[in-house]
Amino acid sequence: MTRVGIVAVGQSKFGELWEHSLRDLAVDAGNAVFKDLDTQTKGNITKKNIEGLFVGNMGAGSMAKQSHLGSLVSDYVGITGVPAVRCEGACSSGALAFRHAFHTIKSGEMDVAMVLGIEKMTDIDSNHVLNALMEAGDFEWESLAGLTFTGLYALMARRHMKEFGTTRNQLSLISVNNHKNGVKNPYAQFRGEITIEDVEKSTLIADPLRTLDCSPITDGAASVIIASEEFIKKNKLDNVAWILSSSAATDRIGFFNRRSIVELDATKLAVKRVIEKDRVNMKNIGVTEVHDCFSINELVALEDLGFCEKGKGGKFIEQGEIKLDGQIPTNTTGGLKSIGHPVGATGVRQLIDITKQIRGDSLNQLKNVNQGLALNIGGIGTTSVIHVLGKD
Amino acid sequence: MTRVGIVAVGQSKFGELWEHSLRDLAVDAGNAVFKDLDTQTKGNITKKNIEGLFVGNMGAGSMAKQSHLGSLVSDYVGITGVPAVRCEGACSSGALAFRHAFHTIKSGEMDVAMVLGIEKMTDIDSNHVLNALMEAGDFEWESLAGLTFTGLYALMARRHMKEFGTTRNQLSLISVNNHKNGVKNPYAQFRGEITIEDVEKSTLIADPLRTLDCSPITDGAASVIIASEEFIKKNKLDNVAWILSSSAATDRIGFFNRRSIVELDATKLAVKRVIEKDRVNMKNIGVTEVHDCFSINELVALEDLGFCEKGKGGKFIEQGEIKLDGQIPTNTTGGLKSIGHPVGATGVRQLIDITKQIRGDSLNQLKNVNQGLALNIGGIGTTSVIHVLGKD
Amino acid sequence: MLSVPVFWRMNKEKYKMIGKKCLDCGLVIFPNRKNCPSCDSQKLEEFGLSGKGKIYSDTIIRVAPDGFEAPYITALIKLEEGPMIVGEITGVDIEDVEKNPQGLVDKEVSITFRKIMLNENGLRVYGLKFLLE
Amino acid sequence: MLSVPVFWRMNKEKYKMIGKKCLDCGLVIFPNRKNCPSCDSQKLEEFGLSGKGKIYSDTIIRVAPDGFEAPYITALIKLEEGPMIVGEITGVDIEDVEKNPQGLVDKEVSITFRKIMLNENGLRVYGLKFLLE
Ligand SMILES: [Zn+2]
Ligand SMILES: [Zn+2]
C-alpha cells in the first residue's frame, strides 16, 4: 500500500467576515494552499496536478443556501472538471473529507488530491445559526425539546463535575491556555489573552458554561494538498508530513442514548484503532490538536485519548500539562477558542497546524516534534476522527 | 489492487411517506439490505461484518432539520460505532457515497462496507422543497434570480430543440417508456402507464417542460453492501455484481458559465475516464440507468454517454432504442420518473437495479446482460458519476 | 417550514409516552425504534411508560434557538423503566436553581404536558415536560 | 433568515454591472471572481459592462420558489462583452411569449433594475432584470 503525505497547506482569515461570501473564502484558502505548493515544490507542482477535490462542510445548505460545494469550490479555485465531493459529519466534516482523500489516494485512484474545509456562518441571523448547529444532534428528541449545542455540553460538564469533582477553575484554564497560544496567530478571530476572571465573569450561556467556554461563530476555510509516496519521491519533495494513521468512529446520534455522557465511546474506539490497527505509539506524540468547541470537550477528550486517566483531566490541566512546555502541548496555535470554529474548516485547520509543527514552521514552534495527533469531533462525541502525522 | 463487488441490495418503499420519518426510511432500507445479505450469504455474513457506513444525502439539513446522518443511520440500522460519513453532491450524492465506499475498500482499510442513500422530502412545505433543491445550483446568480431546478432544465430543453430540432413528442416518449417499465415495480411511487397525450396535456411547470417531464418529490432510502475480492472469495459468495469502473467529474456550478448547455462536459469527461482509464468497452454495456430527473436530461445524457450522436437523441428514442427490446434498454424498472426521486437515494437505487439485472433477478429481467452502466447526475450536469457493474 | 406530519408522527410517544418492549431481551425502548438497539430483534410490543424518573444532569438554557424563550431548564432524565430522555423541567424557580452548582441532579420528576415552542407558522407545539416530585 | 451582507456584497455587480477584465488574457469576467477562470491570473481590473445582450434560451417559470410570484420569464442572456447571465425578462406579455415554441431566443435585451423578490423578512430585494430592445 502506498503511503500518503501532506505536501502543502493554506487557509483564509478566520472571523466574522461579512465582506466575504462562501466562494470568496474558498478562493482565499485555495490561493493560499497553491502558493504554499509553489513554495514547497519550487514551482514544479501546480494546481494542474490536482486530480480530485474533497470538501468538508457542515451546513452551507442551511446557512448559505448553497449545497453542491464540490462543484462550486473546484470551479472557483480553478480546478474545474475534477471529481469533487462534499463530506459531512457535523463539526468533524473537515477531517472526514481529509480521510476520504487519503483513502482515495491509497486506493491508487489518484496521486494528488486537494482537501478544503469551509463554513460560512454569518450570512444568516445568529439565532438561526443555533438551529443549524443543532442539526448535528437528534432533531426529534433534542432540537424539538429546546436543547442547544451549548446545552448538550453543559449537561456533560455538570455531570463530569459531579462524578469527578472537576472545577470551574479547571475549565477556565483551558480557555486561558488556548487564547494565550493564539496571540501570535495572524488567522485567528480573537488574539487577546484572557484571564481566569474574564472567563468566570463572562455571560452564562447554558449553566455552567459561559461565553468564554465556547468557541465563536466563525467564517473561514482551510486547505491541504496530499500526495502518494510515489509522487512525492518522483518529484523529490521534502518537508512532507506523512499520514501515519486515519481513524474514525461514531456513537448514537442522541446524547441521551449513550453508555456514558462523561466518557465518549467514539473517541475511545477511534484511539483504539490508532494504536492497534495503525500501531501508533502514543508516547511518541509530541503535539496535539484537541477539538475545544467547548472547554469541557477538550478536558474530556484529553482523558479519552489516554493522555491522562478518566476523571483526572482537571488535575492534568491544573498541572500545566497542556501548555507549550507541558507533557502534551495542546492547541498550540489557539484552538477553536481563539482561532475560531468555522465548523467544516476546523478539522482541516487542525491538520495544517500539526503539519507546520512537523515541518518546523509553526508560529509557536516546539522542539523535537516527530509526531502530532489531531482529534476532530462532530456533534457531542458523536463522530470522532483522529489523524496522526509524522516526520517519516 | 483488490477488486470490489456488490454482495447485497435493499430499499424502502419510494413515495410521499408522511408516516415515515427520515430514520424510519433508513431502517426500512437497512432491514431490507440485511435480509438480502442473509439470503445471498446463506446466513454466513451479517451486519456484524460491516466495517464502515457511507451515507448519500443532499438536503436533510434543509428538509428535515437533521444533519450528521453518518451517526444517525449507523445508530438506527444497528451498526453503532463504525466509521460513518455523509457524502453530498446534490442529486449525485448516492453515487458519490458509493464511490467513497468503493475507494475505501480498495485502499485496504476495510473489507465490507454499507452504502445507504436517503432523502426525506415531505417534512417541509413543497415550495420550500423548491428552494432546497436550488441549493444544487448557484445561489447568488441563479436562486436569487428566481430560477428553479425545472427552469434550468427548461433552458436546456429549449436550446436543444432550437439547435437540433428535438421535438415535444420525443421528450414525451421518454416519460412514457419509464412509466411503462415501472408498472411492475413494487417500490415505485407511480405505477400507472401514461400516454403521450397525458404528458402533453399535463400542467406546464417551466416551458416547455410539463409535470410529466419531471420526476416527483419523493421520500425513500436505498442501500447496498460491498466487499473486497478477498472477502468474497474467502466466504465463497457468488451472485456478485463486480464494480468495473467508478468515474466522476464536475463542471462549473453556474449553468450560465458552461461551455455548452446542450452537451454536458462533466458527463463527457466521466465517460472518457470509464473508457480510457478503466478500459470499459461501451459495446459490452447491455443495460443502463440514466438519470431522468427531467425527460430532457435523459435525452442529453444518452448523447453524452455516446449511445447516440450529439443532437440525435430524439431520433434514437423515437426508434425505440431505449425500450426493453431496444439497442440499450434504459431505466428498465421505471427510472426517476416512475420510481420517484428521493435525491440522495437515487444513485444507490440505480445501482441496485443494475445489480439485479446482473444477478438475474430484475423485475424486467433482460437476457444475456453481462455489464450495466449507471449515470447519476447532480445539479444540471454539474456532477456526473458513472459506475459500470459486471458479472466478472 | 415543518409540515404537520412531523409532529403527528410522534403523537403516541410524545403525548402518551408509549414506547416499546423487546420480546427477545426485555429491553424497554423509548423513544420508539423498529429494531431493538440491544439485541437487534424486530419483535417489539407497545409498552406504556410511567413518566417518572430522576434527573441525571441539567442546565439552564439562556440563549435559545428560534421558537423557544430563554431562560428555561433542560435536563437529561433517567426514566424509572431505564431509558434516558431530554426534557424541560417546569414549575421551578430558575433563580433558586442557578444558585446550586449541582443544579437539580438526582431530583425526582414526573411527566406533564405543556406548550413547548412556537413553530415557524406561529402555532403552538405541545409536548412533554417534567415537574419536580 | 439571510442577513443584509448577502445582498450588500453583490451591490456593485448587481446594481451597476461592474465586472472585471483580466489584464493577462483580456477575458471579461462577470459575475466577479478573484481569479481569471480562463488563465488563472489574479491581475484583474474593474470593468463596466453595457448591460446589452441577446437571449440564448428562456423559459416561463410557472411554479415559483418562496419569495417569487409566478408566472415570469427567466432567460440565459449572452452579454455583448461575452459573459452569460441569468435574468428575468420584464415588460413583455407572457401570453404572447407562450405561443411561440422558440420562446424569445435570439431577441436583443438591455438591462433595467426592478424589485426581484420579497425576502424572508418581507423586505423587497432589488436587482437586475432585462427589457426587450
Ligand atoms: Zn432486544
Ligand atoms: Zn485571464
Side-chain angles (χ1 to χ4, degrees):
Chain A
M1 279 299 156
T2 184
R3 296 202 306 155
V4 182
I6 298 178
V7 298
V9 304
Q11 69 170 98
S12 76
K13 176 92 183 71
F14 279 18
E16 285 193 317
L17 308 172
W18 287 305
E19 72 284 13
H20 280 61
S21 68
L22 181 74
R23 58 193 82 185
D24 293 334
L25 296 171
V27 173
D28 282 357
N31 286 349
V33 80
F34 290 129
K35 197 177 159 201
D36 190 49
L37 185 67
D38 189 66
T39 307
Q40 300 297 333
T41 69
K42 297 166 193 76
N44 284 322
I45 316 294
T46 70
K47 64 172 72 176
K48 291 197 173 67
N49 293 89
I50 308 287
E51 295 169 89
L53 173 70
F54 303 80
V55 176
N57 172 265
M58 174 184 178
S62 299
M63 293 193 277
K65 313 286 178 191
Q66 179 72 64
S67 292
H68 218 162
L69 298 192
S71 158
L72 181 130
V73 173
S74 60
D75 179 359
Y76 275 76
V77 305
I79 55 171
T80 301
V82 298
V85 60
R86 165 191 166 214
C87 293
E88 187 264 331
C91 325
S92 65
S93 301
L96 287 171
F98 181 84
R99 188 172 148 82
H100 187 354
F102 169 65
H103 286 136
T104 306
I105 290 186
K106 243 176 114 74
S107 79
E109 171 71 12
M110 50 184 74
D111 280 313
V112 187
M114 177 171 182
V115 183
L116 191 143
I118 186 165
E119 209 77 48
K120 176 68 195 174
M121 304 180 76
T122 64
D123 268 359
I124 56 167
D125 301 339
S126 65
N127 62 325
H128 286 85
V129 174
L130 290 189
N131 293 56
L133 290 176
M134 271 309 285
E135 291 174 11
D138 183 308
F139 169 69
E140 294 184 1
W141 296 93
E142 291 173 348
S143 312
L144 283 183
L147 205 47
T148 59
F149 215 58
T150 318
L152 278 165
Y153 276 101
L155 295 170
M156 178 194 275
R158 177 150 286 165
R159 191 74 200 177
H160 202 279
M161 286 169 154
K162 181 183 159 65
E163 293 194 15
F164 306 113
T166 300
T167 65
R168 173 64 261 178
N169 185 265
Q170 292 164 343
L171 290 181
S172 303
L173 285 168
I174 295 168
S175 300
V176 169
N177 181 63
N178 292 350
H179 270 270
K180 189 171 180 195
N181 290 347
V183 167
K184 288 193 280 178
N185 191 335
Y187 303 108
Q189 185 164 4
F190 298 117
R191 293 181 60 183
E193 284 203 49
I194 58 171
T195 65
I196 288 182
E197 294 72 47
D198 290 336
V199 183
E200 289 170 18
K201 279 185 186 154
S202 66
T203 317
L204 277 163
I205 305 294
D207 308 28
L209 299 181
R210 296 172 179 272
T211 304
L212 292 180
D213 286 300
C214 312
S215 55
I217 289 172
T218 311
D219 301 323
S223 181
V224 299
I225 293 168
I226 66 176
S228 68
E229 185 167 24
E230 291 89 316
F231 184 89
I232 287 170
K233 296 218 161 136
K234 204 177 69 189
N235 290 282
K236 301 191 176 63
L237 307 182
D238 39 26
N239 231 0
V240 169
W242 294 97
I243 304 164
L244 306 184
S245 177
S246 172
S247 172
T250 51
D251 204 341
R252 296 193 189 278
I253 185 84
F255 193 49
F256 57 90
N257 263 328
R258 304 289 173 82
R259 182 187 64 78
S260 164
I261 68 164
V262 293
E263 179 171 62
L264 298 174
D265 282 350
T267 303
K268 303 212 48 136
L269 202 51
V271 79
K272 189 164 180 276
R273 289 177 186 151
V274 167
I275 295 165
E276 293 179 5
K277 193 167 177 196
D278 296 332
R279 303 181 176 280
V280 168
N281 182 343
M282 292 290 281
K283 294 216 172 70
N284 293 338
I285 304 291
V287 62
T288 184
E289 286 282 328
V290 173
H291 197 91
D292 59 314
C293 51
F294 297 93
S295 51
I296 182 66
N297 197 32
E298 179 170 331
L299 190 153
V300 168
L302 287 164
E303 296 172 350
D304 294 338
L305 286 167
F307 289 123
C308 61
E309 260 180 74
K310 177 52 60 188
K312 302 278 174 65
K315 213 32 146 207
F316 188 73
I317 287 154
E318 236 167 42
Q319 289 165 355
E321 306 298 7
I322 61 170
K323 290 187 181 175
L324 293 179
D325 59 354
Q327 192 180 306
I328 181 76
T330 303
N331 299 333
T332 62
T333 57
L336 285 58
K337 185 68 202 72
S338 153
I339 306 174
H341 181 26
V343 175
T346 285
V348 181
R349 196 276 308 153
Q350 292 179 320
L351 290 165
I352 290 177
D353 283 323
I354 296 287
T355 298
K356 287 184 172 177
Q357 287 286 5
I358 302 279
R359 296 202 311 205
D361 60 352
S362 173
L363 59 98
N364 283 320
Q365 184 61 47
L366 302 165
K367 280 176 194 154
N368 306 317
V369 174
N370 285 306
Q371 293 185 11
L373 176 150
L375 168 66
N376 188 199
I377 286 184
I380 178 152
T382 318
T383 299
S384 274
V385 189
I386 299 176
H387 285 99
V388 178
L389 306 181
K391 276 207 169 118
D392 36 45
Chain B
M1 280 299 154
T2 184
R3 295 203 305 156
V4 182
I6 297 177
V7 299
V9 304
Q11 70 170 97
S12 77
K13 176 94 182 72
F14 279 18
E16 285 192 318
L17 308 173
W18 288 304
E19 72 283 14
H20 281 60
S21 69
L22 182 75
R23 59 194 81 187
D24 293 336
L25 297 171
V27 174
D28 282 358
N31 286 349
V33 80
F34 291 128
K35 196 175 162 205
D36 190 49
L37 186 68
D38 189 66
T39 308
Q40 300 297 331
T41 69
K42 296 163 196 77
N44 284 321
I45 316 293
T46 70
K47 63 170 74 172
K48 290 195 174 67
N49 294 89
I50 308 288
E51 295 169 88
L53 173 69
F54 302 81
V55 176
N57 172 264
M58 175 183 177
S62 300
M63 293 193 277
K65 313 285 178 194
Q66 180 71 63
S67 292
H68 218 160
L69 298 191
S71 158
L72 182 130
V73 173
S74 60
D75 179 0
Y76 275 76
V77 304
I79 55 171
T80 301
V82 298
V85 59
R86 165 192 167 212
C87 294
E88 186 263 332
C91 325
S92 65
S93 301
L96 287 170
F98 181 84
R99 187 171 149 83
H100 187 353
F102 170 63
H103 286 136
T104 305
I105 291 186
K106 242 176 116 75
S107 78
E109 172 71 13
M110 51 184 72
D111 280 313
V112 187
M114 176 170 182
V115 183
L116 190 143
I118 186 166
E119 208 78 49
K120 175 68 195 174
M121 304 180 74
T122 63
D123 268 359
I124 55 167
D125 301 338
S126 65
N127 61 326
H128 287 84
V129 174
L130 290 189
N131 292 58
L133 290 176
M134 270 310 282
E135 290 174 11
D138 183 310
F139 169 68
E140 294 185 0
W141 296 93
E142 290 173 349
S143 311
L144 283 183
L147 204 47
T148 59
F149 214 58
T150 318
L152 277 167
Y153 276 100
L155 295 171
M156 179 195 275
R158 178 150 287 165
R159 190 75 199 177
H160 202 280
M161 287 169 153
K162 181 184 158 66
E163 291 194 17
F164 306 113
T166 300
T167 65
R168 174 64 261 177
N169 185 265
Q170 292 165 343
L171 290 181
S172 304
L173 284 168
I174 294 168
S175 301
V176 169
N177 180 62
N178 293 350
H179 270 270
K180 188 170 182 197
N181 291 347
V183 166
K184 285 193 281 177
N185 191 334
Y187 303 107
Q189 184 163 3
F190 298 115
R191 293 179 60 182
E193 283 202 50
I194 58 171
T195 64
I196 288 182
E197 295 70 48
D198 291 335
V199 183
E200 289 170 19
K201 278 185 186 152
S202 67
T203 317
L204 277 164
I205 305 294
D207 308 28
L209 299 180
R210 295 170 179 273
T211 304
L212 291 180
D213 287 299
C214 312
S215 55
I217 289 172
T218 311
D219 302 324
S223 181
V224 299
I225 292 167
I226 66 175
S228 68
E229 185 167 23
E230 291 89 317
F231 184 91
I232 288 169
K233 295 216 161 138
K234 202 177 70 188
N235 290 283
K236 299 193 176 65
L237 307 182
D238 40 26
N239 231 359
V240 170
W242 294 96
I243 304 164
L244 306 184
S245 176
S246 172
S247 172
T250 51
D251 204 341
R252 298 192 186 279
I253 184 83
F255 194 49
F256 57 89
N257 263 329
R258 305 289 174 80
R259 183 186 63 78
S260 164
I261 68 164
V262 292
E263 179 170 62
L264 298 174
D265 281 352
T267 304
K268 304 213 51 138
L269 203 50
V271 78
K272 190 165 180 276
R273 290 178 185 149
V274 168
I275 296 166
E276 292 178 7
K277 193 168 176 196
D278 296 331
R279 302 181 176 278
V280 169
N281 183 343
M282 292 290 280
K283 293 217 173 72
N284 293 339
I285 304 292
V287 62
T288 183
E289 286 282 328
V290 174
H291 196 92
D292 59 314
C293 51
F294 298 93
S295 53
I296 183 66
N297 197 33
E298 178 169 332
L299 189 152
V300 168
L302 287 164
E303 296 171 349
D304 293 337
L305 287 168
F307 289 124
C308 61
E309 259 178 77
K310 178 50 63 187
K312 302 278 173 65
K315 209 43 148 199
F316 188 76
I317 288 153
E318 234 166 44
Q319 288 163 357
E321 305 298 6
I322 61 170
K323 291 186 180 176
L324 294 178
D325 59 355
Q327 193 181 308
I328 182 75
T330 302
N331 299 332
T332 62
T333 58
L336 285 58
K337 185 70 203 71
S338 153
I339 305 173
H341 181 26
V343 176
T346 285
V348 181
R349 195 278 306 154
Q350 291 178 320
L351 290 165
I352 291 178
D353 282 324
I354 295 288
T355 298
K356 288 185 171 175
Q357 287 286 5
I358 302 280
R359 296 200 313 205
D361 60 352
S362 172
L363 59 98
N364 283 320
Q365 185 60 46
L366 301 166
K367 280 176 194 151
N368 306 317
V369 175
N370 285 305
Q371 295 184 10
L373 176 150
L375 168 66
N376 188 198
I377 285 183
I380 177 152
T382 319
T383 300
S384 274
V385 189
I386 300 176
H387 285 98
V388 178
L389 306 180
K391 275 204 169 120
D392 39 42
Chain C
M1 309 218 178
L2 289 170
S3 64
V4 174
V6 177
F7 301 101
W8 169 83
R9 276 198 304 262
M10 292 184 282
N11 190 34
K12 261 197 186 171
E13 293 164 287
K14 288 217 167 160
Y15 295 82
K16 296 176 189 157
M17 272 203 99
I18 295 175
K20 298 250 173 91
K21 188 169 188 168
C22 177
L23 293 175
D24 278 322
C25 79
L27 187 77
V28 175
I29 300 162
F30 188 87
N32 278 341
R33 288 173 181 252
K34 288 188 174 185
N35 301 353
C36 173
S38 174
C39 76
D40 210 42
S41 168
Q42 290 172 39
K43 286 183 217 137
L44 313 175
E45 64 176 6
E46 284 200 348
F47 183 86
L49 284 88
S50 67
K52 288 183 191 302
K54 217 185 227 185
I55 293 180
Y56 189 75
S57 189
D58 67 299
T59 181
I60 304 171
I61 304 283
R62 296 177 188 270
V63 180
D66 222 43
F68 293 85
E69 238 178 275
Y72 51 88
I73 300 172
T74 296
L76 254 181
I77 293 138
K78 177 113 180 128
L79 298 169
E80 60 179 18
E81 295 87 355
M84 288 244 243
I85 186 176
V86 175
E88 184 180 330
I89 308 298
T90 190
V92 277
D93 193 336
I94 286 184
E95 283 174 29
D96 287 349
V97 178
E98 68 188 357
K99 285 177 205 144
N100 186 350
Q102 298 272 346
L104 295 166
V105 174
D106 286 343
K107 293 263 189 296
E108 299 197 339
V109 293
S110 65
I111 204 167
T112 181
F113 296 93
R114 297 290 168 89
K115 187 194 93 176
I116 295 274
M117 65 176 290
L118 292 178
N119 77 6
E120 293 144 317
N121 302 306
L123 295 175
R124 283 155 179 248
V125 174
Y126 289 82
L128 46 85
K129 294 195 182 183
F130 290 87
L131 285 168
L132 292 190
E133 281 290 87
Chain D
M1 309 217 179
L2 288 172
S3 64
V4 174
V6 177
F7 301 101
W8 169 82
R9 276 199 304 264
M10 292 184 281
N11 189 34
K12 261 197 185 171
E13 294 164 287
K14 286 216 169 161
Y15 293 82
K16 296 177 187 155
M17 272 203 100
I18 294 175
K20 296 249 174 94
K21 188 168 187 169
C22 176
L23 293 175
D24 279 323
C25 79
L27 187 78
V28 175
I29 300 162
F30 187 88
N32 277 341
R33 287 173 180 251
K34 288 187 176 187
N35 300 353
C36 172
S38 173
C39 76
D40 209 40
S41 168
Q42 290 173 37
K43 287 183 217 138
L44 313 175
E45 63 176 8
E46 286 201 346
F47 183 86
L49 283 88
S50 67
K52 288 182 189 302
K54 217 184 225 185
I55 293 179
Y56 190 74
S57 190
D58 68 297
T59 181
I60 303 171
I61 304 284
R62 296 176 186 272
V63 180
D66 221 43
F68 293 84
E69 238 178 274
Y72 52 88
I73 300 172
T74 296
L76 255 180
I77 294 140
K78 177 116 180 122
L79 299 170
E80 60 180 18
E81 294 87 354
M84 288 246 241
I85 186 176
V86 175
E88 185 180 329
I89 308 298
T90 189
V92 278
D93 192 336
I94 286 183
E95 283 175 27
D96 287 348
V97 178
E98 69 187 358
K99 284 175 204 144
N100 187 349
Q102 297 273 345
L104 295 167
V105 174
D106 286 343
K107 293 264 190 297
E108 300 196 342
V109 294
S110 63
I111 205 168
T112 182
F113 297 93
R114 296 291 168 86
K115 188 195 89 174
I116 295 275
M117 63 176 292
L118 292 179
N119 76 5
E120 293 144 316
N121 302 305
L123 295 176
R124 283 154 180 248
V125 174
Y126 288 83
L128 46 85
K129 294 195 180 182
F130 290 86
L131 285 169
L132 291 191
E133 283 288 89

